[in-house]
Amino acid sequence: MARRKEDPRKKAMRKLMGDFLRENDISLKDGEDVNSLMREMMSALIEESLGGELEDHLGYSKYDQKQKETDNSRNGYSSKTMHTSYGDMDIHVPRDRKGEYEPQLVPKYATTLTKDMEGKIISMYAKGMTTGDIEAHMKDLYGVDISDSTISRITDRIMPQVKEWQERPLAEVYAVVYMDAIHYHVRSEGRIVKRAVYVAIGIDMAGRKEVLGMYVGENESAKFWLSIMNGLRNRGVEDILIVCVDGLSGFPQAMKAVYPDTEIQQCIIHQIRNCTKYVSYKEIKPLMADLKKVYAAPTEELALENLEEFGEKWNGKYPNIYKSWKDRWVTLSTYFKYPEEIRRMIYTTNAIEGFNRQLRKVTKARTVFPTDDSLLKLLYLATADITKKWTGRRQDWSRIRAQLEIYFEERLEGRNI
């Protein structure tokens, strides 16, 4: 077996540590002994580095007054407890008399030493743990006392990232965009209100799936949707071939105002759920069999014929079902014009519903959010965690893209995608 090549610095560090342990008669028996030693070493290293920072700031060393060219001077130390992966650690931070020195290694008001510690906290928060759960977990696992307010401050630091993510540039063309809403309770002006978070997921022309944005709103309206559509346009989205939605109020008008050529497909599954929820249990099977002849028909012409037959048979008991399908037929029937592969992609918003289910798993521990920002912060972290696995594309995408290019040849012509 070949001898391992050891880095000279690591070799020197190994010898230094070995000498230190022997000279001080230190034996390490378990993980707690290792953590204790690491805290002592880190404390010494940090205090030495902070002393060097202050020396550079003042321009002279501690015992070299001859080099002093400033009227500022050292002014003792202040104590500070830092939270680290090895447990809580007390350090002494040097001060200057004028208060001009700003520590760089351990900034003022910072209570966590390593990005690793903050990363652990943010990761637990993204998995749905409350600040109280994280506080208890950090105490049990690392022996670190971190208040829930400190945890909130650490997670609040990602808000600029949230804003940057919401405003990032997007692809020029999306083959399909799915939109749906998920609802939460938020405190607002001393009362609890219901907020809808509208999620947009897009599939670009390369078959890659991504969350385009999440928008917190009070209610659906054409004005609200217009602001979202204009936001997508401003971020570089020139065209959306097909958009799939759950019958959102005011959406078609807003979509046509910004993307007039975009095809709108209303979710068939949502339509079925909404119009059959009051059907008698005894009659749901035969009714669904007749309704399936409508939405599963091979052509739109046959679907319309079957819808009329459905109305003749069931209007006596459930007239609203036929009326609902007839009134929404323009947006319900879009998928009939496409081949089977594209139909399966657009007839339902299941792609976004699966994503929303994962969000609910993360947020289920919180019945009420204190602010809209706290809600958006958690959803962003959860989204980043969920979408790590979105690295590939559909296996049949090459065939689907070829069909899309045929159906949307004029709109795609001249675009470099």
Side-chain angles (χ1 to χ4, degrees), residues 140 156 168 266 270 382:
D140 293 342
D156 281 343
R168 75 194 189 282
Q266 187 173 335
H270 277 89

Side-chain angles (χ1 to χ4, degrees), residues 234-398:
N234 293 336
R235 291 165 62 193
V237 181
E238 294 295 328
D239 198 2
I240 299 171
L241 303 185
I242 307 169
V243 63
C244 306
V245 294
D246 171 25
L248 302 172
S249 301
F251 180 82
Q253 302 93 307
M255 175 59 73
K256 292 301 180 183
V258 182
Y259 298 104
D261 297 323
T262 296
E263 299 272 11
I264 299 174
Q265 172 62 55
Q266 187 173 335
C267 178
I268 298 296
I269 303 300
H270 277 89
Q271 173 68 9
I272 293 171
R273 288 177 192 160
N274 293 336
C275 70
T276 60
K277 55 187 175 183
Y278 299 117
V279 175
S280 166
Y281 175 77
K282 294 180 179 180
E283 295 177 320
I284 189 66
K285 271 194 170 182
L287 185 142
M288 284 300 302
D290 290 337
L291 194 57
K292 187 175 181 180
K293 295 177 183 178
V294 178
Y295 64 81
T299 65
E300 184 177 359
E301 292 76 13
L302 183 57
L304 282 170
E305 290 179 15
N306 292 338
L307 180 60
E308 294 303 320
E309 291 179 6
F310 177 91
E312 292 172 6
K313 182 176 179 179
W314 294 100
N315 275 351
K317 289 187 176 181
Y318 306 108
N320 288 335
I321 298 179
Y322 170 82
K323 185 177 185 304
S324 176
W325 281 79
K326 196 70 174 177
D327 292 347
R328 295 174 172 83
W329 189 253
V330 173
T331 54
L332 286 170
S333 61
T334 301
Y335 70 108
F336 282 115
K337 67 176 71 173
Y338 300 110
E340 188 64 25
E341 289 87 353
I342 298 178
R343 285 193 190 190
R344 287 199 300 266
M345 277 185 66
I346 67 174
Y347 86 99
T348 176
T349 57
N350 276 353
I352 200 169
E353 284 203 31
F355 174 76
N356 286 349
R357 279 194 296 272
Q358 294 182 76
L359 291 182
R360 288 190 185 96
K361 286 172 62 178
V362 172
T363 58
K364 66 181 180 182
R366 294 169 172 82
T367 54
V368 179
F369 286 86
T371 63
D372 287 349
D373 280 349
S374 66
L375 170 59
L376 196 58
K377 174 178 66 176
L378 178 56
L379 293 180
Y380 165 77
L381 289 172
T383 296
D385 198 44
I386 293 167
T387 56
K388 285 178 184 177
K389 301 175 183 178
W390 294 5
T391 55
R393 64 177 189 174
R394 290 176 60 117
Q395 293 183 346
D396 58 349
W397 183 253
S398 296

Side-chain angles (χ1 to χ4, degrees), residues 85-291:
S85 297
Y86 303 104
D88 285 351
M89 175 183 68
D90 294 325
I91 62 171
H92 293 93
V93 181
R95 299 177 304 194
D96 65 321
R97 194 162 296 280
K98 288 189 172 183
E100 298 172 345
Y101 167 56
E102 294 283 346
Q104 300 301 306
L105 180 60
V106 183
K108 285 183 178 179
Y109 313 114
T111 55
T112 56
L113 179 63
T114 62
K115 292 293 183 184
D116 174 59
M117 177 66 71
E118 294 186 4
K120 286 182 173 69
I121 291 172
I122 290 174
S123 177
M124 286 186 282
Y125 193 84
K127 293 292 192 299
M129 294 177 66
T130 64
T131 54
D133 292 336
I134 296 172
E135 181 182 0
H137 189 71
M138 297 300 286
K139 178 66 176 177
D140 293 342
L141 198 60
Y142 301 107
V144 173
D145 287 312
I146 299 182
S147 67
D148 55 357
S149 59
T150 299
I151 294 169
S152 293
R153 285 198 298 271
I154 290 172
T155 56
D156 281 343
R157 291 175 194 165
I158 61 99
M159 285 309 296
Q161 296 179 34
V162 177
K163 185 177 181 182
E164 183 180 346
W165 177 77
Q166 289 279 54
E167 298 175 353
R168 75 194 189 282
L170 297 174
E172 183 180 343
V173 178
Y174 283 91
V176 183
V177 170
Y178 304 93
M179 289 190 176
D180 199 6
I182 184 169
H183 296 87
Y184 296 98
H185 289 97
V186 180
R187 293 189 187 279
S188 177
E189 299 179 353
R191 60 194 182 95
I192 298 175
V193 298
K194 198 171 185 179
R195 288 278 196 265
V197 179
Y198 300 92
V199 183
I201 293 180
I203 300 177
D204 64 17
M205 293 303 293
R208 294 184 296 265
K209 182 171 66 172
E210 64 175 317
V211 179
L212 307 184
M214 293 183 290
Y215 313 91
V216 180
E218 293 186 1
N219 50 49
E220 300 170 14
S221 66
K223 185 177 180 181
F224 173 77
W225 285 113
L226 187 62
S227 67
I228 292 179
M229 293 300 106
N230 281 325
L232 294 177
R233 170 75 75 176
N234 293 336
R235 291 165 62 193
V237 181
E238 294 295 328
D239 198 2
I240 299 171
L241 303 185
I242 307 169
V243 63
C244 306
V245 294
D246 171 25
L248 302 172
S249 301
F251 180 82
Q253 302 93 307
M255 175 59 73
K256 292 301 180 183
V258 182
Y259 298 104
D261 297 323
T262 296
E263 299 272 11
I264 299 174
Q265 172 62 55
Q266 187 173 335
C267 178
I268 298 296
I269 303 300
H270 277 89
Q271 173 68 9
I272 293 171
R273 288 177 192 160
N274 293 336
C275 70
T276 60
K277 55 187 175 183
Y278 299 117
V279 175
S280 166
Y281 175 77
K282 294 180 179 180
E283 295 177 320
I284 189 66
K285 271 194 170 182
L287 185 142
M288 284 300 302
D290 290 337
L291 194 57

